[in-house]
Amino acid sequence: MIVLFVEDDQKLAQQTIDFLALEDIDVDYVSSISAAKQVSMAQRYDAIILDMKLPDGDGTLLAQYFQRDRPETPIIFLTGQDNISDKLSAFDAGALDYLTKPFELAELTIRLKLLLTKGRTRQSNFILADLSVNFAEKILSRGKRAITLSPQQWILLALLAQQSPAYVSKQQIIATVWPDQDVSNDMYKSLLSRLRTNLTGVGENCLLFSAKKVGVALRAAMD
Amino acid sequence: MLPWTKNSRSMPRFIASRLYIALFFITLAWGILATQSYHFALDDTAEFYLIEDAENALFFMSQGLGHDFVNSEFRQSYLTIEQLPADIKATVKANMPPVNQAILIASPLYDSYVLPYSSSGEIADIYIVHRFAKDDSINIIPYQLLIGLLAFFALALVVKFVVTRIGRQTQLMASKISRLTSASNGPESPLVFADYQYAFNVIEQYYQAQHQALSREKDFASFLSHELRQPLARMTNNLSLLDQIDQLPLRSLAIIADMKLTNKALSQLTTMVLQLWQNSTEHKTSVEFTALLTEHIRLFDETRLTIDTQIVASPVTILANVNMVALLLKQLLQNSKQYAATKVLIELSARQLKISNDVRAGSIETLSEDSQTHGYGIGLVMVDKACQQLDWQWQQSAENNLFSVTVNFSRARG
């Protein structure tokens, strides 16, 4: 999957590129409308991420250009304004989605993945309560909340999901996540804590349960 | 007819109605004066000739030629009343006109002027009669009236022309003013009247000043929004990138969690502050206030506070900017949550919302009789600004350790 990212704030762009790279999404980056038109002539993109305000013009003009030239390529707008007229302009220009800064990179990632899999039958590999996981596309959500995990958290989640609702022992977890490493207790606790925090938002029931000397289980409720 | 004249007075109609009324009365006066002066002039002329004929007759009598020397087809002289023609004798006898004063006797066929004349005394020496067959003379009164009516209609046409011209200029001025607000382009005819042009210039200058001020504010809000959101976006992104890094030390997790909460609070505050800059008179919609309030009351879900609600049975709907209303509710409830000790009471009626809470010791200074400034932290500053944007009234009160904020939204009832 490769996307074109047009953003004039280079620091912001680098952060986004780094994040998307960890999600197996390649990014071509440009900082102006003219550069975007140039690169798009040589490359087909799966999606385009556009900033609204660019140094050489309005992002909506670029969107209109892509709508004429590549109508099949979905466009997501990013903007620092939160007013309805900007949103309407974006949708009028052909945007499929719109995010206001500051936004969660996880949300951008999920929206990109969902846009790119639109039309294909999306099957969640694992569902538990309102938690929905697609391990193939690495799309994780709980209710309306998009979640991104680090690589090790994905490995742990996959293991727990495989054995859910059964408990998985600490040894098995360590062997799976850190197969060739010496692992400290802190590393293990850190990983568990991060996964638990990511899976449990404000007001949401905990889905990760620990039992002393037994292990960790991914389940809807504790027995 | 100008579009706004249905229910109100328009200047062209005002001018036209008064001019037409004045013309009508002038024409009426002309008609009355014309008829009266005609008769007056006729009578005076007739009297002159009667006297002249009487003197001539007496002269001819003195010369021995006889009084009837002056007689002609229409002019007759008589020495006594009894000699007068039968059709006028009775009238003369009945009225007994004074000597040397002519009278007009109108009969169906004739108009007769009769003058009893005496050169020296009170008894008439001779009676002179001028008789005019009505068929012989033209009555010019109808012509006079016709001239009056023609003059009326001619002047009325002039008034109509002038008033129409004024009306067109008024419409043109209104059109030019409405073009200011709609920013439409097109050829503009100049205003003919200097007064109208001056008034339009004043309005145009005022409007442009207002427009520029609004544009500046909008541009600044846009700039501010961009400048605040960009660094916030970087902070949020960095935290997201941290999430992607494996093998973070256990100690760092709490720090990162706190940074995320702080970042979220800062983002929300920034959004709220930026919303206050936006013109909330735009984008008014019908807002289900009861439902919105109920949704925001969930803010207290994870607290240990006792929440009592007294909400009016019928749903409250208001006409307002929904984002601004949500901001206000959030701020009110957050404020209450922050300072409440054990309980919060939320009362919603058809016209106002009241939120009361007891005050947690140490959260703010102990409530005293002078409660004008107590509890007036940044939360209520935001409440004040939001209410200003919504054009709602609010007030705070404190008694018996209960702090209350009441918001009146009766103007916004949809």
Side-chain angles (χ1 to χ4, degrees):
Chain A
M1 185 191 304
I2 181 165
V3 301
L4 175 63
F5 186 24
V6 189
E7 163 68 64
D8 60 330
D9 186 323
Q10 291 186 356
K11 181 65 185 168
L12 205 70
Q14 191 60 56
Q15 290 169 335
T16 308
I17 292 166
D18 290 344
F19 191 92
L20 293 177
L22 291 166
E23 293 289 327
D24 298 326
I25 299 175
D26 293 328
V27 179
D28 270 357
Y29 166 67
V30 293
S31 59
S32 66
I33 293 176
S34 51
K37 286 180 181 174
Q38 221 167 358
V39 300
S40 65
M41 281 193 251
Q43 172 75 46
R44 290 255 163 214
Y45 293 101
D46 296 304
I48 298 169
I49 308 168
L50 285 181
D51 190 17
M52 200 73 144
K53 300 256 185 286
L54 293 165
D56 55 346
D58 199 296
T60 52
L61 296 173
L62 185 56
Q64 285 166 3
Y65 167 82
F66 283 129
Q67 275 295 102
R68 285 193 302 270
D69 198 49
R70 312 276 169 90
E72 73 286 355
T73 308
I75 298 172
I76 297 179
F77 262 105
L78 307 177
T79 179
Q81 307 293 338
D82 184 23
N83 57 63
I84 195 157
S85 56
D86 268 12
K87 287 180 184 173
L88 290 174
S89 302
F91 290 124
D92 279 345
L96 280 186
D97 217 336
Y98 181 105
L99 286 172
T100 307
K101 297 171 187 172
F103 53 87
E104 292 291 339
L105 286 171
E107 194 171 351
L108 173 64
T109 308
I110 297 295
R111 289 190 190 202
L112 273 174
K113 288 181 177 179
L114 290 174
L115 274 178
L116 292 166
T117 58
K118 207 171 182 178
R120 300 207 304 256
T121 309
R122 279 196 300 271
Q123 286 184 351
S124 295
N125 303 136
F126 179 78
I127 294 178
L128 178 67
D130 55 351
L131 182 74
S132 170
V133 191
N134 183 327
F135 287 101
E137 311 279 357
K138 281 204 176 156
I139 298 175
L140 170 62
S141 64
R142 185 158 183 190
K144 291 180 185 174
R145 187 170 64 90
I147 307 168
T148 53
L149 303 176
S150 67
Q152 284 182 350
Q153 287 176 65
W154 271 112
I155 296 170
L156 176 56
L157 180 63
L159 176 64
L160 293 173
Q162 222 174 28
Q163 310 222 10
S164 174
Y167 282 87
V168 180
S169 68
K170 180 177 175 179
Q171 289 73 27
Q172 197 177 353
I173 290 170
I174 290 172
T176 307
V177 176
W178 297 278
D180 300 314
Q181 281 182 274
D182 289 331
V183 179
S184 68
N185 204 36
D186 267 4
M187 285 163 66
Y188 172 75
K189 281 183 179 175
S190 173
L191 180 65
L192 266 185
S193 177
R194 289 177 73 189
L195 183 62
R196 183 176 283 117
T197 304
N198 278 324
L199 293 183
T200 315
V202 174
E204 292 173 349
N205 293 331
C206 186
L207 298 175
L208 211 61
F209 296 94
S210 298
K212 207 170 179 182
K213 293 188 180 175
V214 178
V216 179
L218 183 66
R219 50 169 53 182
M222 188 159 176
D223 288 335
Chain B
M1 188 194 261
L2 296 169
W4 57 86
T5 58
K6 282 184 184 173
N7 298 319
S8 62
R9 186 181 289 178
S10 78
M11 189 171 67
R13 282 183 87 189
F14 181 83
I15 295 172
S17 61
R18 275 139 188 83
L19 284 177
Y20 287 146
I21 290 169
L23 276 177
F24 171 75
F25 281 112
I26 290 171
T27 307
L28 192 64
W30 156 258
I32 293 168
L33 280 172
T35 51
Q36 294 307 309
S37 63
Y38 168 74
H39 285 298
F40 184 75
L42 202 61
D43 289 351
D44 261 7
T45 308
E47 196 170 83
F48 172 78
Y49 287 114
L50 282 165
I51 292 173
E52 191 181 56
D53 288 346
E55 286 176 352
N56 287 338
L58 287 175
F59 173 74
F60 289 136
M61 269 176 66
S62 69
Q63 298 299 312
L65 294 172
H67 66 87
D68 53 358
F69 193 75
V70 300
N71 286 3
S72 68
E73 184 187 342
F74 71 91
R75 182 169 49 213
Q76 301 289 323
S77 62
Y78 304 94
L79 292 176
T80 63
I81 287 181
E82 297 305 324
Q83 290 174 353
L84 291 171
D87 58 333
I88 60 175
K89 181 162 61 178
T91 308
V92 172
K93 275 186 175 179
N95 291 323
M96 284 312 290
V99 172
N100 298 336
Q101 261 192 15
I103 59 169
L104 170 65
I105 299 171
S107 64
L109 294 175
Y110 296 97
D111 284 331
S112 305
Y113 285 93
V114 181
L115 173 69
Y117 182 78
S118 170
S119 57
S120 56
E122 292 183 2
I123 298 171
D125 298 324
I126 193 166
Y127 292 84
I128 303 293
V129 177
H130 287 177
R131 284 169 76 91
F132 303 99
K134 283 189 174 171
D135 289 344
D136 289 343
S137 60
I138 301 169
N139 187 358
I140 67 170
I141 289 179
Y143 294 103
Q144 285 179 319
L145 292 175
L146 180 64
I147 289 168
L149 281 173
L150 285 173
F152 173 81
F153 284 116
L155 287 170
L157 274 174
V158 171
V159 166
K160 172 82 180 159
F161 172 75
V162 169
V163 165
T164 303
R165 194 89 194 274
I166 293 172
R168 283 203 189 120
Q169 287 295 299
T170 308
Q171 255 181 336
L172 178 61
M173 182 165 154
S175 166
K176 286 161 83 80
I177 291 170
S178 71
R179 269 198 183 142
L180 286 175
T181 55
S182 67
S184 61
N185 293 320
E188 284 193 356
S189 313
L191 289 165
V192 170
F193 301 141
D195 320 72
Y196 277 14
Q197 187 62 50
Y198 175 73
F200 173 73
N201 289 345
V202 169
I203 292 168
E204 188 181 34
Q205 279 170 15
Y206 173 76
Y207 172 77
Q208 279 175 353
Q210 290 287 308
H211 184 66
Q212 280 165 10
L214 274 172
S215 286
R216 275 198 299 272
E217 195 165 313
K218 229 174 183 177
D219 288 343
F220 180 71
S222 176
F223 166 78
L224 190 67
S225 179
H226 186 266
E227 292 304 305
L228 287 175
R229 289 183 193 277
Q230 289 292 101
L232 276 174
R234 286 187 203 167
M235 280 169 57
T236 307
N237 288 353
N238 276 331
L239 289 168
S240 296
L241 283 169
L242 276 176
D243 269 343
Q244 289 282 13
I245 298 173
D246 278 319
Q247 295 176 193
L248 288 175
L250 189 62
R251 280 188 312 168
S252 70
L253 299 185
I255 298 169
I256 293 169
D258 188 56
M259 281 170 65
K260 283 184 179 177
L261 282 173
T262 308
N263 186 56
K264 188 177 175 184
L266 192 56
S267 295
Q268 286 175 346
L269 186 61
T270 302
T271 301
M272 284 197 290
V273 169
L274 288 172
Q275 273 184 340
L276 286 177
W277 276 95
Q278 289 172 1
N279 184 357
S280 73
T281 59
E282 297 171 355
H283 314 302
K284 275 187 182 178
T285 55
S286 181
V287 178
E288 298 283 343
F289 193 61
T290 308
L292 195 62
L293 174 65
T294 309
E295 196 182 306
H296 279 78
I297 288 175
R298 285 188 204 146
L299 189 74
F300 294 98
D301 279 354
E302 291 185 5
T303 65
R304 291 177 191 171
L305 298 168
T306 305
I307 312 297
D308 287 327
T309 57
Q310 291 174 16
I311 296 178
V312 65
S314 53
V316 176
T317 307
I318 55 173
L319 195 65
N321 180 293
V322 63
N323 291 331
M324 194 58 63
V325 175
L327 185 155
L328 174 65
L329 285 177
K330 192 184 258 185
Q331 206 52 54
L332 283 168
L333 295 170
Q334 270 181 348
N335 217 48
S336 188
K337 181 182 169 186
Q338 184 176 355
Y339 295 109
T342 60
K343 59 183 180 186
V344 176
L345 172 61
I346 300 169
E347 300 165 84
L348 176 65
S349 69
R351 302 205 173 274
Q352 70 180 29
L353 170 68
K354 184 176 181 182
I355 300 174
S356 310
N357 57 267
D358 54 359
V359 180
R360 195 170 70 246
S363 59
I364 54 175
E365 294 168 25
T366 307
L367 292 175
S368 67
E369 286 178 6
D370 179 13
S371 62
Q372 292 302 308
T373 57
H374 285 293
Y376 208 98
I378 188 167
L380 288 185
V381 170
M382 303 282 279
V383 166
D384 183 52
K385 293 293 179 194
C387 283
Q388 276 181 29
Q389 289 278 38
L390 291 164
D391 195 25
W392 294 359
Q393 288 80 46
W394 77 280
Q395 61 184 33
Q396 62 176 47
S397 60
E399 54 183 14
N400 302 328
N401 201 42
L402 206 63
F403 183 80
S404 302
V405 175
T406 307
V407 176
N408 186 304
F409 49 81
S410 53
R411 284 188 202 175
R413 285 307 308 273

